Amino acid sequence: MRITFPYMGSSPLVFKQLFAELGHEVVVPPPPSKHTLDLGTKYAPEFACIPFKILLGTYLEAIALGADTIVSTGGVGPCRAGYYGELHRRILHDLGYNNVRLLILEPPLRRPRDFLRVLSTLVEGPLNWLRLPGILHRVWTKLSALDRVEKAAHAIRPYEITKGETSRVYKECLKAIDAATAVAEIRAAESEALARLAKVPQDTTRQPLKVALIGEIYVVFEPFANHNVQIMLEEMGVYAERSIYLAEWTLGNAVVPGEKDIKGAARPYLSELVGGHGLNSIGETVIYAWRGFDGVIQLAPFACIPEIVAKSILPRVSRELNIPVLTLFLDEQTGEAGIRTRLEAFIDLLAARRKKREGQVAWAAI
Amino acid sequence: MGGYLGVDVGSVSTNLVVTDEEGEILASLYIRTQGQPIAAVQEGLAQLEKKVPAGLTIEGVGTTGSGRTLAGVVVGADLVKNEITCHAVAAARLVPDVQTVLEIGGQDSKIIIMRDGVVTDFAMNTVCAAGTGSFLDHQAQRLNVPIEEFGSYALRAKNPVRIAGRCTVFAESDMVHKQQMGHSLEDIIAGLCEALVRNYLNNVGKGKEILPPVVFQGGVAANVGIRAAFEKALGLPVYVPKHFGVMGAWGAALLAREKMRANPQPTRFRGFQAAHLEYKTSSFDCTGCSNQCEVISISMEGKVVASWGGRCGRWENLS
């Protein structure tokens, strides 16, 4: 099998090792680009959301590179994404790629049988089953290391003196972690990366505004889908925290039932599952308000029902907990200039609020 | 005497304002961008120079609008600021207790919610330009009514018709239909104004708490029909400032003034003579990585003075 998978943040480095260790040939898809989105938009239904289009484009690019098996994830609850695997399969079939298999990993806690069936296709032979715990240990170590290093980079960027320096160092660190495969190697690469990032020259006298990024997982996670908002904010000197990191998310959603605190925080405003990450968007906004963040940015694919439901509830959360919320809807028509204008205005708003709170002239020197 | 310059380069119009030391407007200008922002800014500078009192020296320059970065390079700006903040600052200067700013320009529209002089929430139209100035322009032309008189036609209406305002294409076919049915021009124009206001309030204004005082600015505020439709829909008086068309540029000038006063330094203004320099732009697709960024370079008198558009910072050079 020549396996490929969706591209999402730094996770391809992990999937690459996982499938290679299971003895498969791996076709790492190219990072999403305008070309990916053009391909996806061309063959997807017009009203499908942007994650669907980017994934479809990614699959087509990977097939062109020789992939014959696509491994993706399913979903539960009233969000269309649960059907997307099936829809992708049919579109690929209609395009004549009859020999391409699409394997969909369903959440193991909700649909254990489907999960095991697909897993046994991927883990061929008894020898592999014996090796599986070791493989998972290494892959998990890598996933957690990548999350920690990325978090460190995000924490440093608002303080960097030379714009772009953190990103440059981070890119090199990723290469080193990618090259490491054994647990000890991965840990060493992680320590090295954290040490190198700490050496990026910083101006620690800055007091950055704190903004949280919440919303639908794919557009929160994959910078291409959100026009790189997290780094854009950080380069404006804002501390931007993303609600979702893959290791934590996998742990809380696929391995053990988790996110109880998020659901609890959302309860005064929303107690029903509305599909996708709608409930999380409410709960996370509440938690970020408690944590004293200056503002929250909701990232949502255009026409995403769960996020539309969340958006209609967020004004109340915003008012009652006194935390400004900006919603950005994203699709293939979204222009970077429009996003930048809204982000800048939102940052001005937050800065003026802070100045006013501190008893200064709100608009001076913004 | 010292003064401050604000330049707002929008999709349809380019506006310039010169204020005195205190921030009061001395001269202003509203011209069409016509798809050529550099030429429009230069034309604006040339015209403005003649309107400015002799002996005035510009001590700070702010640019805003969708062409703010480009305009910033052309004039030599001390401050480049998004149009939402600029509109809010100008409205608050005029009406210090303003709580709602409605702004409708050529191709975008926004709502800004303010409390105690600070922006607390805002929204811009995302989906399409229905209900903005360009559409009104187009309809005025089609109905053969000068755009300046469009609003007064609406005020003369006896029984405004209901027009589907969600989408410009549907609005237009609905208007054609109403014309064929025999409704009067006045009733149709008034119906259109109401439809646009309804569309604005349901989309841009959705979920926003609109409280008085309400200030209505941007080019479309010239239209008394739209203003009346807002007053009717909101049940609130709507205040249109004297300089409604150049509020963004004024806000940019006011912020430039704040900035230069907080941190005195010589201005980067190239002078009104920038109107006569030769600016050229060029662009290319960077092939350095998969992002394939479109990089733009601006040259002044044959020398590259700025470039941007790349994500990685490789080409960024905003001197």
Side-chain angles (χ1 to χ4, degrees), chain A residues 27-236:
Chain A
V27 179
V28 179
S33 64
K34 272 181 284 182
H35 179 248
T36 318
L37 189 52
D38 286 347
L39 265 181
T41 306
K42 185 170 173 190
Y43 297 111
E46 192 192 346
F47 285 103
C49 62
I50 192 166
F52 184 91
K53 291 173 183 170
I54 296 178
L55 292 192
L56 182 61
T58 298
Y59 298 160
L60 289 167
E61 285 180 319
I63 290 170
L65 293 172
D68 60 17
T69 306
I70 299 163
V71 181
S72 188
T73 53
V76 287
C79 162
R80 302 188 293 191
Y83 304 107
Y84 277 0
E86 188 55 38
L87 196 52
H88 278 135
R89 191 198 320 264
R90 291 185 190 199
I91 292 172
L92 293 177
H93 190 272
D94 288 347
L95 288 173
Y97 299 111
N98 300 320
N99 51 344
V100 175
R101 273 209 296 182
L102 214 156
L103 300 175
I104 299 159
L105 282 166
E106 298 293 348
L109 289 175
R110 308 279 188 106
R111 296 175 61 179
R113 255 198 225 165
D114 290 332
F115 177 76
L116 283 175
R117 189 173 44 77
V118 172
L119 192 65
S120 59
T121 321
L122 293 169
V123 187
E124 292 166 315
L127 199 66
N128 259 341
W129 281 104
L130 284 177
R131 290 176 56 235
L132 192 59
I135 296 175
L136 290 179
H137 180 46
R138 287 189 286 281
V139 165
W140 187 259
T141 309
K142 189 173 260 190
L143 186 60
S144 317
L146 285 169
D147 278 1
R148 279 192 290 268
V149 172
E150 195 191 341
K151 278 184 187 173
H154 288 307
I156 289 166
R157 203 173 280 110
Y159 298 95
E160 71 184 5
I161 291 169
T162 318
K163 189 178 147 188
E165 178 71 5
T166 315
S167 299
R168 199 184 55 75
V169 173
Y170 174 64
K171 224 172 172 176
E172 287 169 16
C173 295
L174 279 188
K175 275 188 200 147
I177 298 175
D178 185 26
T181 49
V183 169
E185 286 171 15
I186 298 167
R187 291 203 174 129
E190 181 190 343
S191 311
E192 165 79 16
L194 294 175
R196 288 192 61 189
L197 282 168
K199 280 198 209 112
V200 170
Q202 299 168 48
D203 173 3
T204 47
T205 59
R206 289 182 199 163
Q207 292 181 309
L209 291 159
K210 288 200 290 184
V211 170
L213 298 170
I214 60 151
E216 190 277 332
I217 183 167
Y218 191 84
V219 296
V220 170
F221 210 89
E222 172 49 47
F224 175 76
N226 62 37
H227 293 263
N228 229 0
V229 280
Q230 192 170 11
I231 291 177
M232 211 193 274
L233 283 165
E234 286 161 359
E235 290 182 347
M236 292 177 191

